[in-house]
Amino acid sequence: AQKVTQAQTEISVVEKEDVTLDCVYETRDTTYYLFWYKQPPSGELVFLIRRNSFDEQNEISGRYSWNFQKSTSSFNFTITASQVVDSAVYFCALSEWMDSSYKLIFGSGTRLLVRP
Amino acid sequence: DTEVTQTPKHLVMGMTNKKSLKCEQHMGHRAMYWYKQKAKKPPELMFVYSYEKLSINESVPSRFSPECPNSSLLNLHLHALQPEDSALYLCASSRITGQDYPSSGANVLTFGAGSRLTVL
């Protein structure tokens, strides 16, 4: 069965530090999608990135970067020069074809606290 | 401002009450979702509507009754809930691409801010 593991339950850093959030997934399929969502205290989940299984190119968007490595089944997320506004829960998610449809499975989330 | 609007933001109800949660989007998305999120847990999928038809029901108890009256609206009717049903209920919407109908699980979801439900 598909599974997403975010081993870091909580991370606390001081502002301007770099921080990496780990995500490891398990899947039997060759075609799948990986996502990162951010959930600030306000509650709504905010989409950050989607990757399909055939696109292993790393991506950078401002202070955010993602490292996708199929060899280790990991899709890690790095925030450079963290800011207080980055404080949130971050979810990694896997979408895989199952039972005639795509199912999106979230990891347990990593709570990031950025202290001033 | 979020493009998916959920009302009410907070709801307290007794176990014998009937209430409804509402969700609205005007992005032209034809897939809409209900998720349930308990404290310090990830969201769990409850229902998916594709083209206003129920396409996925994740074995949700019948005390939760979804309804999609048109392509912009999604309701969740609540009746005879239990205290353990207290949670944040999140609505989301997405485009549908041909390859992943009927679940649209491969598409980017736009979430609302949620309705926090407390069952007494």
Side-chain angles (χ1 to χ4, degrees):
Chain A
Q2 58 174 304
K3 182 179 176 182
V4 179
T5 301
Q6 295 181 256
Q8 303 150 309
T9 305
E10 293 190 11
I11 301 176
S12 181
V13 299
V14 176
E15 202 170 20
K16 297 184 183 176
E17 285 185 17
D18 298 347
V19 58
T20 295
L21 282 61
D22 298 333
C23 174
V24 175
Y25 61 93
E26 294 177 29
T27 177
R28 298 165 295 184
D29 214 338
T30 57
T31 301
Y32 53 89
Y33 295 84
L34 295 164
F35 299 79
W36 276 95
Y37 283 88
K38 172 184 179 180
Q39 187 173 36
S42 53
E44 81 277 17
L45 279 85
V46 177
F47 166 76
L48 297 178
I49 190 170
R50 180 180 77 165
R51 263 287 174 268
N52 73 51
S53 51
F54 299 106
D55 182 2
E56 290 191 69
Q57 196 169 8
N58 292 329
E59 180 155 338
I60 298 175
S61 176
R63 297 183 296 107
Y64 295 170
S65 62
W66 290 269
N67 184 345
F68 178 24
Q69 295 204 351
K70 286 180 74 171
S71 60
T72 56
S73 296
S74 65
F75 187 41
N76 296 336
F77 172 32
T78 297
I79 301 175
T80 303
S82 60
Q83 300 176 0
V84 172
V85 294
D86 295 327
S87 297
V89 179
Y90 291 85
F91 290 99
C92 180
L94 166 69
S95 185
E96 182 186 52
W97 187 259
M98 290 176 58
D99 301 328
S100 304
S101 65
Y102 273 102
K103 296 289 180 67
L104 184 65
I105 302 296
F106 286 91
S108 55
T110 296
R111 182 176 300 275
L112 174 65
L113 175 62
V114 181
R115 309 187 309 276
Chain B
D1 289 340
T2 184
E3 296 179 86
V4 175
T5 303
Q6 291 189 242
T7 55
K9 292 192 185 310
H10 300 275
L11 177 63
V12 179
M13 60 185 292
M15 290 189 285
T16 58
N17 292 157
K18 285 185 180 181
K19 297 287 184 182
S20 296
L21 305 180
K22 297 184 184 302
C23 174
E24 188 170 4
Q25 58 89 14
H26 295 287
M27 294 178 285
H29 289 170
R30 300 304 295 276
M32 296 188 76
Y33 311 73
W34 280 114
Y35 280 84
K36 174 182 178 179
Q37 187 177 24
K38 302 282 279 184
K40 298 191 176 183
K41 297 289 186 183
E44 296 178 354
L45 182 65
M46 300 175 72
F47 303 104
V48 180
Y49 272 83
S50 302
Y51 298 110
E52 296 84 68
K53 294 198 185 320
L54 183 64
S55 56
I56 293 180
N57 177 342
E58 291 288 290
S59 302
V60 178
S62 60
R63 58 185 184 268
F64 295 92
S65 176
E67 178 196 21
C68 190
N70 60 56
S71 60
S72 299
L73 294 175
L74 184 66
N75 298 321
L76 186 62
H77 303 299
L78 314 171
H79 173 54
L81 294 192
Q82 304 297 311
E84 58 265 29
D85 296 321
S86 298
L88 180 67
Y89 288 84
L90 292 161
C91 174
S93 69
S94 76
R95 295 171 51 224
I96 294 178
T97 56
Q99 66 180 52
D100 64 354
Y101 178 85
S103 76
S104 306
N107 276 315
V108 174
L109 273 61
T110 301
F111 283 86
S115 294
R116 189 164 299 280
L117 173 67
T118 302
V119 182
L120 301 177

